[in-house]
């Protein structure tokens, strides 16, 4: 067409005038809403794009093909052309996890107040008003990491489950055996038996990803299996107050309830994270999701596969990060390391000669960033192994060697004067919520499993912000402003503290049938 126009300038000028007239008419129709409709019709009728040949195959390598996948085809400007090849390759290894739970009765009701037909029905089939245990079904996601049938998911997906079933993309279903769980990192390992090898994916290195890198999330949101979303890494090393052992990857690929336990892939189809929770003022995805880094998942899964549980090292110190104010008070120019607030009598640190006020600067020759870094590094050392610590005491450097012990979280909590569970039931109200401590009686009444510790929501004011944000009776508040809570009084005290600081909302971590999530509630409703 360009050649013809160049040969006949007059003809080309006529075409330009005709095109200008057509464009003006189109704009006029667009004001009436017709242009948009035509646009959609044209797009729907457009023929499929021509096939673009894939890049040349890489040299053969020993691992299976799915472990040596090439990245998606790229345009000349380096932007991803399509995620379709990647999705097609990894999706068969992503599974839907269905968990069957037995819920204990939460209440009794008086059948005498019912109309006669209903009263007769409940007396005959409802055990005379006595509520019977009933089954509940929860769903999540997971992914196969070994062709022999090992599957990774979240602990909160399978916690308390009586029967676990996994379903593959091709429709096959298997009963799953729970190999082991680690509630501190929210990781669980399952095993299924299949007649042949299963599709599997491999772990990537989350320490190599950067903010802005593309990621793909595959999972089962709201029961919609094999749903794929795309986004980028929004932040790295995110501390969301969910324990000292995990610094999360923050992603903006939309994930929702049911995505828990599903994988986050890089562009080579390697798992760099496991989707675990979302920040949600509304109850749905707002583009802020959190994935457990693959390095954490890999290390925990190795222990679960070998031993069925996770063992962590223990030093026996209470520590806090060195703030700029603390650094200035001791004459240090850098606010790095962890300061020892107290030493547990008779513990590994006490035997090694640690003292209150020591600043831990390095462990086994590698520098320490803060208290979380030290806790995580010590936890990764096997019990019985020796570790060398570089400390600063009164401004002088010193080296101490400690024999790492075995961590016992319940014993540590008692030593710190923090009972593992509240001793007596207490109730209260805050921000339109009825609250109760999670005691053994409350566990039985509401059918809560032993892995849940926090404050139970017993009622929700329908006119409250909490109701608008999707909180329900039976949900459990785990933390307020990133601080764990066990009693309604702790909830109210933390809300009051946030209000005193001039905050209009408070961040609440809750867990329920949809898994763990953050909810920001407005302060000032009770």
């Amino acid at each position: 067409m360009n050649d013809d126009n160049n040969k006949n300038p007059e003809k080309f000028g006529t075409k330009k005038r005709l095109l200008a007239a057509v464009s003006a008419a189109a704009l006029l129709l667009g004001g009436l809403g017709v242009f948009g409709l035509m646009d959609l019709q044209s797009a729907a009728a457009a023929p499929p794009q021509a096939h673009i040949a894939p890049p040349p195959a890489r040299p053969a390598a020993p691992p299976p093909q799915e472990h040596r996948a090439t990245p998606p085809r790229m345009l000349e400007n380096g932007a991803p052309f399509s995620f379709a090849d990647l999705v097609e390759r990894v999706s068969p290894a992503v599974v839907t996890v269905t968990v069957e739970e037995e819920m204990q009765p939460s209440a009794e009701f008086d059948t005498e107040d019912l109309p006669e037909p209903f009263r007769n029905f409940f007396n005959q089939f409802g055990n005379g008003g006595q509520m019977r245990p009933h089954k509940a079904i929860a769903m999540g996601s997971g992914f196969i990491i070994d062709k022999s049938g090992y599957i990774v998911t979240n602990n909160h997906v399978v916690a308390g489950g009586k029967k676990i079933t996994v379903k593959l993309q091709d429709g096959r279903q298997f009963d799953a055996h729970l190999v082991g769980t680690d509630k501190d990192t929210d990781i669980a390992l399952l095993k299924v038996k299949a007649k042949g090898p299963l599709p599997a994916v491999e772990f990537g290195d989350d320490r190599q990803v950067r903010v802005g890198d593309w990621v793909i999330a595959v999972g089962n949101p709201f029961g919609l299996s094999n749903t794929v979303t795309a986004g980028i890494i929004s932040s790295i090393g995110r501390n969301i107050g969910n324990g000292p052992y995990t610094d999360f990857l923050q992603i903006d690929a939309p994930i929702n309830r049911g995505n828990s336990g599903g994988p986050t892939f890089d562009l080579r189809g390697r798992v760099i994270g496991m989707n675990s929770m979302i920040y949600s003022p509304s109850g749905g995805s707002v583009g802020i999701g959190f994935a457990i880094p693959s390095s954490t998942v890999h290390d925990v899964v190795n222990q679960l596969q070998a031993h069925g549980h996770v063992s962590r090292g223990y030093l026996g110190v209470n520590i806090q990060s060195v703030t700029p104010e603390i650094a200035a008070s001791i004459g240090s120019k850098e606010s790095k390391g962890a300061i020892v607030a107290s030493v547990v009598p008779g513990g590994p640190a006490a035997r090694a000669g640690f003292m209150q006020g020591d600043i831990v600067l390095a462990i086994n020759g590698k520098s320490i960033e803060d208290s979380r870094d030290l806790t995580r590094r010590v936890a990764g050392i096997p019990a019985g192994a020796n570790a060398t610590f570089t400390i600063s005491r009164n401004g002088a450097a010193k080296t101490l060697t400690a024999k790492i012990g075995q961590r016992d979280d319940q014993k540590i909590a008692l030593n710190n004067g923090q009972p593992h569970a509240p001793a007596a039931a207490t109730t209260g109200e805050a921000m339109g919520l009825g609250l109760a401590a999670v005691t053994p009686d409350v566990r039985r009444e509401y059918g809560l499993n032993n892995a849940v510790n926090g404050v139970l929501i017993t009622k929700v004011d329908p006119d409250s912000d909490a109701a608008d944000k999707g909180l329900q009776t039976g949900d459990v508040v785990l933390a307020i402003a990133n601080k764990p809570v066990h009693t309604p009084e702790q909830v109210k005290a933390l809300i009051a503290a946030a209000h005193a600081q001039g905050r209009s909302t408070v961040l609440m971590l809750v867990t329920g049938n949809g898994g763990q999530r953050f909810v920001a509630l407005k302060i000032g409703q009770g």
Side-chain angles (χ1 to χ4, degrees):
M1 180 179 292
N2 290 337
D3 289 342
D4 290 342
N5 291 335
N6 290 334
K7 292 177 182 179
N8 192 343
E10 183 177 353
K11 181 179 179 181
F12 177 64
T14 302
K15 285 188 176 181
K16 287 180 64 178
R17 290 191 293 272
L18 287 172
L19 287 172
V22 171
S23 298
L27 288 173
L28 178 59
L29 290 173
L32 299 176
V34 178
F35 185 72
L37 179 60
M38 292 173 62
D39 231 6
L40 292 174
Q41 290 172 337
S42 299
Q49 296 184 4
H51 174 70
I52 298 177
R58 289 198 275 183
Q65 183 176 356
E66 63 267 23
H67 295 330
R68 305 293 296 176
T70 58
R73 298 174 301 205
M74 311 295 280
L75 296 178
E76 292 181 358
N77 63 0
F81 171 76
S82 173
F83 299 118
D85 290 341
L86 166 61
V87 172
E88 184 177 359
R89 191 167 61 245
V90 301
S91 288
V94 182
V95 303
T96 297
V97 180
T98 303
V99 181
E100 185 178 296
E101 303 175 355
E102 184 176 282
M103 306 299 293
Q104 296 300 317
S106 58
E108 297 183 10
F109 58 90
D110 187 0
T111 60
E112 294 302 320
D113 294 332
L114 294 174
E116 184 174 352
F118 294 100
R119 183 169 64 249
N120 294 338
F121 174 83
F122 278 107
N123 286 337
Q124 182 176 359
F125 299 103
N127 196 26
Q130 174 66 49
M131 299 290 286
R132 296 173 176 175
H134 60 281
K135 293 180 180 179
I137 302 296
M139 300 184 72
S141 306
F143 53 99
I144 306 171
I145 60 169
D146 188 281
K147 292 185 176 182
S148 64
Y150 283 102
I151 298 170
V152 179
T153 187
N154 278 137
N155 172 66
H156 75 256
V157 171
V158 299
K162 300 297 183 182
K163 180 181 180 181
I164 304 172
T165 305
V166 298
K167 182 178 180 181
L168 275 63
Q169 184 187 45
D170 60 14
R172 286 183 291 172
Q173 293 192 42
F174 301 94
D175 290 336
H177 164 67
L178 182 60
V179 177
T181 67
D182 179 42
K183 65 181 181 63
D184 290 328
T185 55
D186 197 20
I187 296 170
L189 181 64
L190 309 176
K191 180 70 166 63
V192 299
K193 293 182 179 180
K195 293 183 178 180
L198 296 175
V201 290
E202 68 171 357
F203 286 110
D205 187 356
D206 63 274
R207 291 162 292 195
Q208 300 300 317
V209 303
R210 300 181 301 166
V211 173
D213 281 347
W214 280 102
V215 291
I216 301 293
V218 186
N220 177 47
F222 304 114
L224 302 171
S225 59
N226 303 111
T227 294
V228 180
T229 54
I232 63 169
I233 298 286
S234 304
S235 182
I236 293 173
R238 184 68 80 189
N239 173 15
I240 59 175
N242 201 42
Y245 305 118
T246 305
D247 283 332
F248 288 80
L249 300 175
Q250 182 180 324
I251 64 174
D252 73 349
I255 57 176
N256 288 282
R257 296 184 179 186
N259 272 113
S260 291
T264 303
F265 293 103
D266 64 13
L267 290 187
R268 294 188 180 275
R270 300 169 300 192
V271 178
I272 59 166
M274 178 167 64
N275 303 319
S276 183
M277 62 183 66
I278 62 174
Y279 172 83
S280 178
S282 63
S285 173
V286 293
I288 301 178
F290 301 101
I292 303 171
S294 59
S295 55
T296 301
V297 179
H298 180 269
D299 292 345
V300 169
V301 164
N302 281 346
Q303 288 203 54
L304 293 178
Q305 190 169 351
H307 310 295
H309 65 275
V310 174
S311 298
R312 292 188 170 88
Y314 173 63
L315 182 58
V317 291
N318 293 317
I319 55 176
Q320 63 187 86
S321 297
V322 176
T323 64
E325 292 79 10
I326 292 176
S329 68
I330 60 176
S332 175
K333 296 181 179 179
E334 290 188 338
S335 55
K336 289 188 176 182
I339 186 169
V340 177
S342 63
V343 181
V344 177
R351 292 192 294 268
F354 278 83
M355 297 178 63
Q356 186 180 53
D358 288 347
I359 298 177
V360 184
L361 302 175
I363 179 172
N364 291 333
K366 295 183 178 180
S367 61
I368 295 296
E369 291 294 324
D370 52 26
S371 60
R372 286 174 57 83
D373 188 23
L374 177 58
T375 300
R376 191 180 302 109
R377 299 268 287 279
V378 170
I381 300 175
N386 288 328
T388 301
F389 297 84
T390 302
I391 68 167
S392 174
R393 179 179 295 170
N394 299 323
K398 189 177 180 65
T399 300
L400 300 175
T401 299
K403 185 177 182 179
I404 301 300
Q406 176 70 50
R407 186 174 184 86
D408 184 336
D409 288 329
Q410 186 169 359
K411 183 177 179 181
I412 292 170
L414 291 173
N415 287 338
N416 290 339
Q418 300 171 352
H420 188 64
T426 56
T427 60
E429 293 186 357
M431 298 191 300
L433 299 173
L435 302 170
V438 177
T439 64
D441 290 339
V442 169
R443 288 188 193 281
R444 286 191 294 270
E445 183 179 354
Y446 284 85
L448 300 176
N449 66 68
N450 292 329
V452 176
N453 288 292
V455 178
L456 180 76
I457 296 176
T458 58
K459 65 179 180 179
V460 180
D461 183 346
D463 296 324
S464 67
D465 187 45
D468 294 339
K469 300 296 174 59
L471 293 183
Q472 300 177 357
T473 299
D475 287 347
V476 176
V477 181
L478 302 177
I480 299 288
N482 291 334
K483 294 180 175 61
V485 291
H486 296 290
T487 68
E489 288 304 315
Q490 289 177 332
V491 173
K492 294 169 69 174
L494 290 170
I495 293 171
H499 183 68
Q501 295 171 4
R503 298 178 185 174
S504 59
T505 61
V506 65
L507 191 64
M508 180 179 290
L509 178 63
V510 300
T511 186
N513 290 333
Q516 293 184 13
R517 63 188 178 107
F518 283 102
V519 179
L521 292 185
K522 296 177 182 177
I523 296 175
Q525 296 200 39

